[in-house]
Amino acid sequence: MSRINGFVGRRNFLKFASVVGIAATTFGDSFWNSEQTAVADIHPVNPNSISPNEAIRRLLDGNQRFIYQKRQYPDQSLEHLRLVAKAQYPFAAILGCADSRVPAEIVFDQGLGDLFVVRVAGNVVSDTIIGSLEYSTAVLGSQLIMVLGHRRCGAVAEAIKNEPLPGRIGLIIEGIKPSVERVKFKTGDNMQDAVIANIQYQTEKLQESSTILAKLLCEGKLKIVGACYDIDTGKVNIIT
């Protein structure tokens, strides 16, 4: 693959992803062997990259500022806007719930170009979500992916109810149900247990469903963690 300023070219990356999908259907197991070779060629170079642990520290420090109303509103000036218009180098990617009460840039006190944020109800992993996060890591060089769920998640609550839903809402809920099964027979706060189980399940699914992410994980160039946001206090806790 060609590179632009040290990165895999966006056009070439998208072509690569397209070939991956077609070849997987056409050639089966033989494709996966060739894909491993192609994935080995992906070496993102981010001039502003920071380690996964430093990225976590930066996120949690920002969250503390948010909680105690000491926000710095970093990287939000007109000058910075013009800077990131030329290129983006997010230090972390966030897979978060689409809930309007959990905007990642605000709760982590970050600014333009700092975070690559993908949001969907229930922070559910799908093929399009995986593709977006592959882009943030393999192309943009983010070394941390955080799966950010939150307390009293409505999507998780619907998965617990297990009742018919209109339109395509049910497609999202189906992606959460396997995690609900994990806590079905536990005692205590079933709702919060299910929220945590869903964060863990989606985190595992990310690690298991992408050859690109698996490669970066294996090489120590990526870390995927789960976290839970408390909508009452604003606090984010890392889920182990």
Side-chain angles (χ1 to χ4, degrees):
M1 290 185 191
S2 65
R3 290 172 172 75
I4 299 174
N5 296 330
F7 291 87
V8 176
R10 287 168 172 77
R11 183 177 299 175
N12 288 285
F13 177 82
L14 295 175
K15 285 181 179 178
F16 166 75
S18 176
V19 170
V20 165
I22 296 170
T25 303
T26 307
F27 300 111
D29 292 340
S30 63
F31 159 73
W32 294 110
N33 293 328
S34 63
E35 185 199 4
Q36 293 290 349
T37 302
V39 170
D41 292 334
I42 297 179
H43 299 290
V45 179
N46 187 330
N48 301 322
S49 67
I50 61 175
S51 71
N53 289 338
E54 173 61 19
I56 293 172
R57 185 198 64 77
R58 188 177 294 188
L59 289 173
L60 294 182
D61 284 352
N63 181 239
Q64 286 293 302
R65 296 195 301 270
F66 169 73
I67 293 170
Y68 294 106
Q69 296 297 291
K70 296 181 179 180
R71 285 172 283 180
Q72 297 175 357
Y73 304 100
D75 298 333
Q76 297 181 30
S77 66
L78 181 59
E79 180 183 3
H80 191 74
L81 183 150
R82 290 168 177 163
L83 178 65
V84 296
K86 300 174 183 177
Q88 60 169 323
Y89 305 112
F91 72 84
I94 310 289
L95 168 54
C97 182
D99 192 296
S100 62
R101 299 165 293 181
V102 197
E105 287 89 351
I106 294 177
V107 305
F108 288 119
D109 192 29
Q110 301 300 321
L112 296 168
D114 292 335
L115 304 178
F116 188 95
V117 181
V118 183
R119 297 177 67 182
V120 62
N123 38 276
V124 174
V125 171
S126 65
D127 287 345
T128 52
I129 294 294
I130 291 171
S132 295
L133 294 173
E134 287 176 341
Y135 183 82
S136 72
T137 54
V139 178
L140 302 180
S142 303
Q143 294 191 28
L144 175 72
I145 296 175
M146 177 180 285
V147 179
L148 182 64
H150 65 93
R151 293 180 63 90
R152 302 204 303 276
C153 178
V156 174
E158 291 298 333
I160 293 172
K161 290 178 185 177
N162 196 26
E163 297 175 353
L165 292 163
R168 300 189 181 184
I169 301 174
L171 295 176
I172 294 172
I173 306 308
E174 287 300 319
I176 299 174
K177 285 183 179 179
S179 63
V180 172
E181 290 297 318
R182 295 183 176 188
V183 297
K184 205 169 188 179
F185 303 105
K186 287 186 177 181
T187 58
D189 187 346
N190 286 340
M191 178 61 192
Q192 183 58 12
D193 287 345
V195 165
I196 299 301
N198 183 51
I199 294 169
Q200 294 171 331
Y201 173 74
Q202 305 302 337
T203 301
E204 292 167 8
K205 190 172 179 182
L206 263 184
Q207 297 176 17
E208 297 167 357
S209 302
S210 168
T211 307
I212 290 175
L213 298 183
K215 174 76 173 175
L216 293 170
L217 285 165
C218 184
E219 293 179 347
K221 298 177 181 177
L222 175 65
K223 188 172 187 176
I224 302 177
V225 299
C228 186
Y229 176 76
D230 190 326
I231 60 175
D232 294 309
T233 67
K235 183 175 177 58
V236 173
N237 288 304
I238 301 297
I239 304 300
T240 56

